[in-house]
Amino acid sequence: MLSFIYDILPSRVVFGVGCLDHLPAEIGRLGATKALVLSTPEQRETALDVANRLGKHAVGLFDRAIMHVPIEVAQAARDEAHRLGADCCVAVGGGSTTGLGKAIALTSSLPILAIPTTYAGSEMTPIWGITEGGRKTTGRDPRVLPKTVLYEPALTVTMPAQLSATSGMNAMAHCVEALYAKDANPIISMLAEDAIRAFARSLPVVVKNPADLEARAEAQYGAWLGGVSLGAVGMALHHKLCHTLGGSFNLPHAETHTIVLPHATAYNARAAPEAMSRIARALGVASAAQGLFNLAASLGAPVALRAIGLKETDLDRAAEIASQNPYYNPRPVTRDGIRALLQDAFEGRRPAA
Ligand code: NAD
């Protein structure tokens, strides 16, 4: 019998090629006049362009965002926002830059306008993360959810083919786990399935021709829905495993998601048949897990943990950590089950079914 709770987060989305032209009006809509623009060092030029569009309403550019938001960087950015009297942050970049904006908002409540340039989806979630002494702490707080998001597909054409592939698979992971979430609901499931379909169609084109704006727009549409799914319902085994591997073994975020996803899907296949048939339908294949593996391989993305720096001797400890602290998963999480999954992911084996 149908029974669910539907609790969607507020957000304003301005989507499409040319949408950056709306930036000054969107900042005005937030009631802000002093924006601090954030980026990674690599994306400084893009951030400068954004600052120029804001003219006198951009009071500074902080270009030191890096992966996993180290507390020292968060503190430096908070100090800079305070020193400049900023009344909003404009985060231009991927999950690392959005994450820095969230760290500022967490202590100051400054509104964030996000301009995402990868498919990670952080701009749609109230989830923050800060790393201190090598340990990443995460939490949920409505203050860190960006108020406005501008999805400009033209900003994603510079994403290298490999990052496009792995970032897209990262977004698909949000959708896969949303479909078998403990608190799944029919609306988010519809969004998640459509996002998988959008990525399955667009990623092969994007990887072949990174400048194809139509495919870029479709992938970014998928990224938006992936982010909505991540923000709206709880994740399970796959996200827990990737958090463990990223946090304890310092593995790269999007690549780790790409490699683990087919195996986490295979692990849950029998326990979540409805989700599996929706994933397979969206991919246009018979088996969800194999379809995800084949898609990643066809995009030239890494498919083995050994290829991104994990050592075989780390697998026991990874299985140990990932099976501690019980959490929801459609199939019960056992240490032996996780150890076998990790071996498959380490070797890069195609899931058996
Ligand atoms: P990222 O933000 O670390 O970016 C990776 C690299 O790609 C950076 O050097 C960046 O400058 C560059 N880059 C980004 N967009 C580019 C573009 N269009 N063209 C050229 N270069 C570009 O990578 P990510 O995968 O987007 O984010 C990963 C981080 O986000 C992780 O720390 C992860 O934990 C976090 N995350 C958080 C949430 C959340 O809800 N809180 C969701 C997803 C990811």
Side-chain angles (χ1 to χ4, degrees):
M1 192 82 75
L2 205 54
S3 158
F4 57 87
I5 293 175
Y6 172 71
D7 188 2
I8 198 81
L9 298 162
S11 84
R12 175 175 168 84
V13 169
V14 184
F15 190 104
V17 173
C19 77
L20 276 188
D21 294 345
H22 298 274
L23 178 60
E26 290 298 328
I27 290 288
R29 216 168 175 277
L30 292 175
T33 55
K34 293 174 166 188
L36 174 62
V37 180
L38 308 172
S39 75
T40 59
E42 299 82 25
Q43 289 182 284
R44 184 180 163 81
E45 285 306 312
T46 310
L48 268 176
D49 175 58
V50 164
N52 286 338
R53 286 171 181 268
L54 286 171
K56 66 177 186 341
H57 294 315
V59 291
L61 168 57
F62 185 93
D63 66 359
R64 287 159 49 199
I66 55 166
M67 187 88 102
H68 301 315
V69 195
I71 183 73
E72 302 76 22
V73 177
Q75 200 47 56
R78 286 167 177 167
D79 292 348
E80 186 68 349
H82 183 70
R83 187 181 70 79
L84 295 166
D87 57 8
C88 82
C89 289
V90 176
V92 191
S96 298
T97 306
T98 309
L100 181 61
K102 289 176 168 183
I104 297 173
L106 189 63
T107 51
S108 65
S109 297
L110 284 191
I112 301 170
L113 183 149
I115 306 177
T117 64
T118 70
Y119 306 136
S122 175
E123 67 282 356
M124 282 293 142
T125 82
I127 306 163
W128 56 268
I130 294 178
T131 305
E132 190 165 9
R135 255 187 89 91
K136 188 167 181 178
T137 306
T138 59
R140 293 178 87 96
D141 192 312
R143 284 178 302 174
V144 310
L145 177 72
K147 299 275 183 290
T148 306
V149 181
L150 265 54
Y151 284 105
E152 167 55 270
L155 287 184
T156 63
V157 301
T158 50
M159 216 191 321
Q162 166 109 354
L163 177 60
S164 303
T166 55
S167 193
M169 295 299 295
N170 178 197
M172 290 172 92
H174 309 330
C175 304
V176 165
E177 294 229 290
L179 282 163
Y180 56 61
K182 186 181 186 183
D183 50 354
N185 69 66
I187 302 296
I188 294 299
S189 294
M190 250 186 334
L191 304 187
E193 185 179 335
D194 204 39
I196 295 172
R197 190 171 293 114
F199 277 122
R201 232 176 1 220
S202 60
L203 287 180
V205 184
V206 157
V207 164
K208 215 189 247 170
N209 179 12
D212 187 316
L213 269 181
E214 223 163 282
R216 286 292 188 181
E218 187 169 25
Q220 217 174 11
Y221 164 80
W224 167 41
L225 297 186
V228 172
S229 304
L230 175 67
V233 296
M235 299 287 113
L237 172 65
H238 169 82
H239 281 75
K240 170 80 174 177
L241 270 177
C242 293
H243 186 80
T244 301
L245 292 168
S248 306
F249 303 97
N250 203 25
L251 297 188
H253 178 81
E255 284 93 329
T256 306
H257 273 269
T258 303
I259 296 164
V260 172
L261 183 60
H263 303 286
T265 307
Y267 187 89
N268 284 326
R270 286 211 182 145
E274 162 81 19
M276 295 302 139
S277 57
R278 293 186 79 157
I279 298 161
R281 181 168 69 192
L283 292 171
V285 298
S287 152
Q290 287 183 346
L292 290 165
F293 183 93
N294 292 343
L295 177 62
S298 74
L299 297 173
V303 293
L305 290 172
R306 69 155 90 232
I308 60 164
L310 193 71
K311 296 192 190 63
E312 195 160 13
T313 48
D314 291 332
L315 295 179
D316 283 337
R317 194 156 67 89
E320 210 63 62
I321 302 172
S323 47
Q324 283 166 358
N325 307 330
Y327 49 92
Y328 168 77
N329 190 60
R331 175 179 160 193
V333 173
T334 62
R335 193 212 163 272
D336 287 353
I338 299 307
R339 181 65 182 77
L341 182 169
L342 284 171
Q343 191 71 40
D344 289 343
F346 180 78
E347 312 278 359
R349 293 189 189 120
R350 174 177 277 101

